[in-house]
């Protein structure tokens, strides 16, 4: 697939009916192996294995509803009382991280009101801490360890 700016790991993949699948460790099932999914699986592994994020507090493909409209967050980190703390949005490595990507994750955040937003295409990663008092977000130098949130 793609070489990413994330630590490599032993990804579990298979082919089902001629289509590549990858084991999603959070959903505990095989899902279609797309370039975006490749990024998601590597990033989730990075958060858990290298940044100390508890696997039990992470969820993939979290559905949000606004009236009849359904939105889907790529990954959400919850705290110990299941309050959302972070939204992560993934793009395929060939997709440039643009303002439109930040606009997309901001829409999700109107509903969840999290403390952190992360956007990654597997090559570039941007993390913002929300400053609700001043109605802005502050870009951080990197992805914080879980203990530093």
């Amino acid at each position: 697939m793609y070489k990413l700016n994330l630590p490599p790991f032993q990804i579990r993949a298979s082919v089902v009916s001629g289509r590549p699948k990858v084991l999603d460790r959070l959903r505990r099932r095989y899902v279609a192996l797309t370039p975006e999914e490749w990024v998601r699986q590597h990033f989730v592994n990075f958060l858990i294995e290298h940044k100390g994020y508890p696997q039990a507090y992470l969820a993939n493909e979290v559905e949000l509803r606004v009236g009849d409209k359904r939105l889907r967050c790529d990954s959400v980190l919850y705290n110990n009382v299941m309050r959302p703390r972070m939204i992560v949005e993934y793009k395929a490595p060939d997709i440039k991280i643009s303002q439109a990507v930040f606009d997309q994750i901001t829409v999700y955040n109107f509903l969840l009101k999290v403390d952190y937003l992360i956007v990654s295409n597997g090559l570039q990663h941007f993390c913002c801490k929300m400053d609700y008092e001043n109605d802005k977000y502050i870009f951080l130098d990197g992805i914080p360890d879980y203990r530093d949130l």
Side-chain angles (χ1 to χ4, degrees):
M1 194 65 72
Y2 293 92
K3 181 163 175 47
L4 303 176
N5 185 17
L6 291 163
F9 76 105
Q10 190 63 36
I11 199 160
R12 291 179 57 189
S14 70
V15 176
V16 178
S17 300
R19 295 200 166 132
K21 302 270 187 174
V22 62
L23 181 64
D24 182 320
R25 76 189 279 177
L26 300 182
R27 291 179 274 182
R28 294 183 179 100
R29 64 181 172 91
Y30 281 89
V31 297
L33 179 53
T34 64
E36 182 177 311
E37 193 63 45
W38 183 255
V39 172
R40 180 196 333 262
Q41 295 308 315
H42 279 79
F43 204 90
V44 166
N45 182 74
F46 167 68
L47 290 176
I48 294 168
E49 301 298 334
H50 299 271
K51 293 294 184 174
Y53 287 57
Q55 181 172 326
Y57 293 175
L58 287 162
N60 284 338
E61 294 289 323
V62 175
E63 186 176 281
L64 306 174
R65 292 183 186 202
V66 182
D68 291 340
K69 188 172 185 175
R70 292 180 177 192
L71 305 172
R72 201 165 296 205
C73 295
D74 287 338
S75 294
V76 175
L77 172 72
Y78 296 91
N79 66 11
N80 61 348
V81 293
M82 296 307 289
R83 178 190 169 279
R85 297 257 352 253
M86 176 185 288
I87 303 169
V88 187
E89 177 65 26
Y90 308 106
K91 296 297 177 194
D94 61 335
I95 303 295
K96 184 178 178 187
I97 303 296
S98 65
Q99 184 61 49
V101 177
F102 283 99
D103 292 346
Q104 179 184 1
I105 199 170
T106 300
V107 168
Y108 303 152
N109 198 37
F110 282 135
L111 299 169
L112 296 182
K113 301 284 189 223
V114 299
D115 301 320
Y116 296 89
L117 302 175
I118 295 177
V119 174
S120 176
N121 65 2
L123 303 173
Q124 293 182 293
H125 323 293
F126 297 95
C127 182
C128 306
K129 180 169 177 34
M130 298 305 300
D131 179 356
Y132 290 107
E133 191 172 298
N134 296 302
D135 198 29
K136 65 179 184 175
Y137 41 81
I138 301 159
F139 282 91
L140 304 179
D141 289 333
I143 308 301
D145 289 343
Y146 181 76
R147 70 177 180 269
D148 297 330
L149 297 180

